[in-house]
């Protein structure tokens, strides 16, 4: 479904649900993490992309402070107060928006009520960040409705806060930043120390296959916390042995890791190698893209996955099966796990003309090892969140 079709459908559903015309509409895409795994909380770098599916959020103001919110895909409605946005127990999906209402509301004196509806073509929970697409599209549309003008980073923080405080998910800022700053055929490079964001050319010869495994490690939260803990422990060690300031693993080079790893407990040393190596790969990856060398970039993706396997141990049998299958297909340029790991999805870099043939070959090889299929979806690096013209769908239909 194209963005225009999504917008038209959302507008039609809005009119049907509320029997009135929309006043504002915004679109925000999902995202894919391409290189730089577990680097965000180590104050390092990530290369990601906004993708060609997203969420459309439409709204119109009401006189009072009551908000009526419809999840267009589910055709369920939640109501809440704009003055006292509190998490909903009944509609967990509404919490992402209620949190955004709290964030946008904090920017003005008198929060106003609205009728709102959203519709998405991002698969939920597939590692493509449908949650950020929802928060960012809601944040943009509701800011316009209320006449406030948060910066893109403000919007990203409003989304993150919504996710932390209302949905109970302790996410970083990568998802929201990617959704906001994406550009067609470019990757978003984020520095998680300065929050400086730039885009680098990927070109039109690149597409991604997102392979969702449906695997999820039972103890994923505990594993994640343990990884963070080891990274912090390692940073403290390097701060004592290196002559320059170290506040996070971002400040440690690969050569320094090799030289000083022995003074550290072996497990923490191994864990630290992953974000340190990833930071280095992101910097090299950016150069590969500047040189137009997608093949070399793809090799860095494979190295990233090897590092996950060897050092961070955040892969699993299913993700390894995708990457091993990808390696056997000469048309594939690179592959790695994407996101937190311990299950979830792997991302595969290919030429757009090879989508069909590689998807079939990957699926076949994956099934042979795992015994059932994975979900494969082709995605392209696409433009970021923006407002939509509310008069357009009416004219088109
Ligand atoms: P991801 O962000 O990777 O897709 P999350 O678990 O972070 O996975 O977010 C998915 C949740 O976001 C869903 O379970 C739902 O509560 C909410 N959500 C996002 N988009 C929609 C949508 N279009 N309709 C209903 N709920 C949505
Ligand atoms: Mg999410």
């Amino acid at each position: 479904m194209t963005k225009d079709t999504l917008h038209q459908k959302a507008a039609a559903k809005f009119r049907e649900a509320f029997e009135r015309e929309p006043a504002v509409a915004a679109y925000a895409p999902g995202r894919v993490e391409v290189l730089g795994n577990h680097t965000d909380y180590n104050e390092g770098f990530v290369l990601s992309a906004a993708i060609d599916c997203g969420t459309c959020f439409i709204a119109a103001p009401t006189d009072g402070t009551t908000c009526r919110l419809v999840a267009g895909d589910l055709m369920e409605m939640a109501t809440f107060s704009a003055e006292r946005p509190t998490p909903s127990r009944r509609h967990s999906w509404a919490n992402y928006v209620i949190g955004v209402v709290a964030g946008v509301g904090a920017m003005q004196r008198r929060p106003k009520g609205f009728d709102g509806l959203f519709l998405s073509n991002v698969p939920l929970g597939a590692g493509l960040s449908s949650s950020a697409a929802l928060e960012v599209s809601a944040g943009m549309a509701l800011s316009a409705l209320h006449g406030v003008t948060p910066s893109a980073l403000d919007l990203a923080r409003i989304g993150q806060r919504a996710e932390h405080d209302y949905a109970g998910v302790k996410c970083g800022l990568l998802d929201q930043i990617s959704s906001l700053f994406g550009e067609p055929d470019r990757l978003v490079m984020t520095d998680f120390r300065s929050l400086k964001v730039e885009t680098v050319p990927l070109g039109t010869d690149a597409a991604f296959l997102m392979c969702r495994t449906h695997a999820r490690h039972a103890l994923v939260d505990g594993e994640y916390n343990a990884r963070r803990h080891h990274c912090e422990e390692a940073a403290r060690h390097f701060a004592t042995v290196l002559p320059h300031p170290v506040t996070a693993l971002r400040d440690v080079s690969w050569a320094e890791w090799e030289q000083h790893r022995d003074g550290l407990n072996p497990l923490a040393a191994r864990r630290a190698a992953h974000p340190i190596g990833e930071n280095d790969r992101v910097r090299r990856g950016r150069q590969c893209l500047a040189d137009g060398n997608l093949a070399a970039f793809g090799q860095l993706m494979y190295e990233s996955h090897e590092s996950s396997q060897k050092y961070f141990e955040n892969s699993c049998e299913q993700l390894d099966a995708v990457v091993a299958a990808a390696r056997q297909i000469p048309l594939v340029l690179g592959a790695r796990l994407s996101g937190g790991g311990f299950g979830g999805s792997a991302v595969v870099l290919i030429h757009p003309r090879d989508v069909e043939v590689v998807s079939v070959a990957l699926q076949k090889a994956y099934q042979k090892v795992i015994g059932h299929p994975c979900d494969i979806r082709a995605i392209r690096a696409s433009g970021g969140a923006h407002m939509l013209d509310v008069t357009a769908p009416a004219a088109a239909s």
Side-chain angles (χ1 to χ4, degrees), residues 6 28 48 65 129 132 258 341 388:
L6 183 71
S48 61
T65 53
S129 204
E258 282 186 315
L388 296 166

Side-chain angles (χ1 to χ4, degrees), residues 116-130:
L117 180 142
F118 59 93
L119 199 66
S120 185
N121 56 4
V122 186
L124 309 188
L128 295 172
S129 204
S130 66

Side-chain angles (χ1 to χ4, degrees), residues 16-83:
E16 189 188 315
F18 299 113
E19 297 183 325
R20 57 183 303 210
E21 287 300 303
V24 292
Y27 170 85
R31 66 92 189 93
V32 57
E33 175 206 289
V34 180
L35 201 57
N37 189 241
H38 287 265
T39 45
D40 54 352
Y41 55 85
N42 290 299
E43 299 186 16
F45 301 95
V46 182
L47 279 166
S48 61
I51 59 173
D52 49 350
C53 53
T55 299
C56 180
F57 192 102
I58 298 190
T62 52
D63 290 334
T65 53
T66 299
C67 305
R68 295 190 292 176
L69 180 68
V70 172
D73 305 282
L74 312 171
M75 271 325 232
E76 279 181 26
M77 188 189 282
T79 53
F80 54 93
S81 157
E83 281 178 314

Side-chain angles (χ1 to χ4, degrees), residues 31 96 125-133 135 163 169 171 175-176:
R31 66 92 189 93
Y96 297 85
L128 295 172
S129 204
S130 66
S131 57
E135 293 143 22
E163 202 141 338
V169 181
C171 64
D175 302 353
Q176 295 83 2

Side-chain angles (χ1 to χ4, degrees), residues 160-192:
Q160 183 193 30
R161 241 357 31 229
E163 202 141 338
H164 280 207
D165 298 345
Y166 287 77
V169 181
K170 296 272 176 260
C171 64
L173 273 172
L174 173 72
D175 302 353
Q176 295 83 2
I177 284 179
S178 312
S179 177
L180 281 151
F181 288 87
E183 288 178 31
D185 302 316
R186 297 178 79 87
L187 295 187
V188 177
M189 176 147 166
T190 308
D191 175 339
F192 277 90

Side-chain angles (χ1 to χ4, degrees), residues 15 41 56 60 79 121 136 166 222 269 282-283 345 349 351 371-372:
R15 291 189 181 94
Y41 55 85
C56 180
T79 53
N121 56 4
V136 172
Y166 287 77
V282 170
R283 290 199 191 91
S345 298
L349 176 65
H351 191 287
H372 58 81

